Amino acid sequence: MKNKDIFTFRDAEKQAGPVAFMTMVKPAGSTCNLDCHYCYYLDKAMQYGGRQAVMSDELLELYIRQYIEANEVETVQFCWHGGEPLLLGIDFFRRAMALQAKYADGKRIENTLQTNGTLVDEAWCDLFAANNFLVGISLDGPQEIHDAFRVTKGGRPTFERVMQTVVMFRRRGVEFNTLSVVNRLSEGRGAEIYRFFRDEVRSRYMQFLPAVEHVVDVEGLHRPLIVSPEHEGARLAEWSVTAGGYGRFLCDIFDEWVLSDVGQIFVQMFDATLAQWCGVQPGVCSMGETCGDALVVEHNGDVYSCDHFVYPEYLLGNIRQTTLAEIYRSKRRRDFGLAKRNALPAECLRCKYYFACRGECPKHRFETGSDGCRKNTLCEGLYRYFRHVEPYMEYMCEMLSKEQSPAWVIPFARKRMGLM
């Protein structure tokens, strides 16, 4: 049997079970008030003929009804994304929540929202707090790291404005987490960046996402165009993190965390890694065996399998013509998800840490493996990270098996590192 034809018992079990999937909805498309250098979504406007329109109220209602109806589970989580979703205004989200209540049909509705943080005021804080939004705020680290790439359309820095929003969130009781892009400037500064988020931002939930992109220069555009690595003339973007740098970054953060913060600070990568060691679902699509369960719904109703594959060749359909339930059940969507595992090189499937890594995100598969299949360009760094954390993950798994807190790894780590 060829690798591409693999269909496992777990795949069949999932297909036969209740329908449960996420959507990342982009009601303003790629429209944004910032011009972040490494943003892979700003260029999507070109795909839709330039300036994008926002999602109409009629389409918003159609999406909300279809999404709630399609999920055969008790809790349905909406993830509002962009671009910058706050450009739609508060009234848009009030209408959205009224529609959620209208179509909930006894299901629990939860809302998450990702923002660059520059448009938040106290009215937004009141809306988020009163309606239990979990807000992700984009912040890359200390000022010189953040302001190097996250700038306004006029090239102005944004760090101070984002930090004002963080203070507002804390003061007004908004639950938030931080999402940080790990780029070339982050290399060698993992511990410093982690301490910044822990001590200054006081973030208790952190995500660190590696930036690895390819670009070309296009006449008439003031910024490089992000393209696939196969694009003629494509080069690795100067902000991209190296494999070795990413691995060291994760290890340095882990060493800070495991010595004092387990159970108090939650880092998505570490939570997902522990889940893999314990044999439960990681909750992060990049570390799942297969993917395709986090659909993207664009401002015009177009649906894609993944936020990183919003290209015409990956279009699954449009909710005006085909319901979200039908799109999710489609063979095209399922094949996309299975390819995460089935398109991996044999060397990945034989790797000691495949159970934890799962090939990471397909968007980073730029290198060619020994059998001609694509291999993750961050492999070296990921291997270093999994090897580094292995003894601590095994210890925390043992604690959990005994119904004890994983935080008991702290004295174990201190002793192992010679600090006791």
Side-chain angles (χ1 to χ4, degrees), residues 63-237:
Y63 157 69
I64 288 175
R65 177 176 60 80
Q66 288 189 11
Y67 182 43
I68 294 174
E69 289 177 353
N71 270 278
E72 301 170 351
V73 289
E74 294 181 357
T75 300
V76 180
Q77 186 177 87
F78 286 77
C79 178
W80 305 94
H81 219 278
E84 175 50 54
L86 298 198
L87 288 169
L88 291 156
I90 286 180
D91 287 343
F92 177 90
F93 287 94
R94 289 178 177 146
R95 292 194 298 273
M97 287 183 288
L99 290 168
Q100 289 172 345
K102 177 180 178 179
Y103 293 108
D105 193 27
K107 296 176 183 176
R108 175 183 173 85
I109 305 299
E110 296 178 348
N111 285 286
T112 68
L113 181 144
Q114 187 66 37
T115 178
N116 61 43
T118 63
L119 300 177
V120 176
D121 58 18
E122 294 196 351
W124 278 111
C125 289
D126 289 344
L127 178 85
F128 295 148
N131 294 280
N132 300 311
F133 271 66
L134 171 60
V135 182
I137 189 163
S138 299
L139 181 61
D140 288 349
Q143 186 165 8
E144 68 275 17
I145 293 177
H146 179 91
D147 282 344
F149 301 115
R150 299 191 61 81
V151 296
T152 67
K153 299 293 188 186
R156 303 287 296 174
T158 61
F159 176 83
E160 291 185 0
R161 180 63 182 85
V162 176
M163 289 299 291
Q164 290 173 10
T165 293
V166 168
V167 172
M168 270 194 287
F169 280 172
R170 293 201 304 255
R171 186 176 66 244
R172 309 289 288 203
V174 177
E175 184 179 0
F176 73 96
N177 60 28
T178 50
L179 186 151
S180 308
V181 175
V182 183
N183 55 66
R184 187 65 63 90
L185 293 184
S186 309
E187 295 191 23
R189 301 180 68 176
E192 174 194 353
I193 290 172
Y194 175 78
R195 289 192 294 267
F196 164 77
F197 282 109
R198 181 190 63 192
D199 302 335
E200 297 186 41
V201 180
R202 285 185 263 169
S203 173
R204 293 297 173 262
Y205 300 89
M206 307 177 192
Q207 298 180 57
F208 297 99
L209 304 181
V212 185
E213 304 288 356
H214 289 75
V215 296
V216 293
D217 296 317
V218 177
E219 187 176 353
L221 290 183
H222 70 285
R223 62 196 297 272
L225 182 70
I226 295 177
V227 295
S228 70
E230 293 88 3
H231 193 286
E232 184 179 356
R235 69 179 188 278
L236 191 65

Side-chain angles (χ1 to χ4, degrees), residues 380-409:
E380 172 196 340
L382 290 166
Y383 190 94
R384 174 181 179 178
Y385 160 72
F386 289 120
R387 183 177 59 191
H388 181 76
V389 304
E390 183 172 13
Y392 308 101
M393 292 296 165
E394 290 178 349
Y395 191 90
M396 286 188 282
C397 276
E398 183 182 355
M399 292 297 100
L400 287 168
S401 71
K402 296 176 180 178
E403 299 184 351
Q404 296 182 21
S405 171
W408 284 109
V409 75

Side-chain angles (χ1 to χ4, degrees), residues 201-408:
V201 180
R202 285 185 263 169
S203 173
R204 293 297 173 262
Y205 300 89
M206 307 177 192
Q207 298 180 57
F208 297 99
L209 304 181
V212 185
E213 304 288 356
H214 289 75
V215 296
V216 293
D217 296 317
V218 177
E219 187 176 353
L221 290 183
H222 70 285
R223 62 196 297 272
L225 182 70
I226 295 177
V227 295
S228 70
E230 293 88 3
H231 193 286
E232 184 179 356
R235 69 179 188 278
L236 191 65
E238 59 271 15
W239 58 74
S240 297
V241 67
T242 65
Y246 183 55
R248 179 185 171 189
F249 180 90
L250 292 176
C251 292
D252 289 348
I253 288 181
F254 183 85
D255 287 350
E256 289 282 324
W257 175 80
V258 79
L259 288 173
S260 59
D261 297 328
V262 180
Q264 303 297 319
I265 306 293
F266 300 89
V267 178
Q268 185 187 61
M269 183 64 163
F270 305 159
D271 288 349
T273 302
L274 180 57
Q276 300 286 57
W277 246 268
C278 294
V280 299
Q281 290 299 312
V284 181
C285 57
S286 63
M287 294 174 71
E289 185 178 24
T290 60
C291 62
D293 293 315
L295 303 182
V296 171
V297 180
E298 275 288 348
H299 63 292
N300 69 337
D302 284 348
V303 182
Y304 299 84
S305 293
C306 173
D307 185 40
H308 295 290
F309 289 85
V310 177
Y311 297 103
E313 61 267 33
Y314 292 101
L315 178 65
L316 297 177
N318 187 288
I319 63 173
R320 293 188 188 276
Q321 288 83 45
T322 311
T323 67
L324 267 174
E326 292 175 280
I327 289 173
Y328 180 76
R329 293 190 184 98
S330 69
K331 183 178 185 299
R332 183 172 172 83
R333 196 281 311 171
R334 186 170 64 251
D335 288 348
F336 177 93
L338 292 175
K340 182 180 189 298
R341 176 195 63 218
N342 294 350
L344 278 173
E347 63 202 82
C348 290
L349 300 175
R350 292 193 300 264
C351 176
K352 177 182 180 181
Y353 297 116
Y354 170 68
F355 78 94
C357 173
R358 301 297 188 188
E360 209 252 349
C361 184
K363 77 174 286 284
H364 294 139
R365 295 179 186 174
F366 303 144
E367 298 183 6
T368 303
S370 57
D371 55 2
C373 293
R374 286 298 181 89
K375 181 179 177 181
N376 199 300
T377 193
L378 296 172
C379 177
E380 172 196 340
L382 290 166
Y383 190 94
R384 174 181 179 178
Y385 160 72
F386 289 120
R387 183 177 59 191
H388 181 76
V389 304
E390 183 172 13
Y392 308 101
M393 292 296 165
E394 290 178 349
Y395 191 90
M396 286 188 282
C397 276
E398 183 182 355
M399 292 297 100
L400 287 168
S401 71
K402 296 176 180 178
E403 299 184 351
Q404 296 182 21
S405 171
W408 284 109

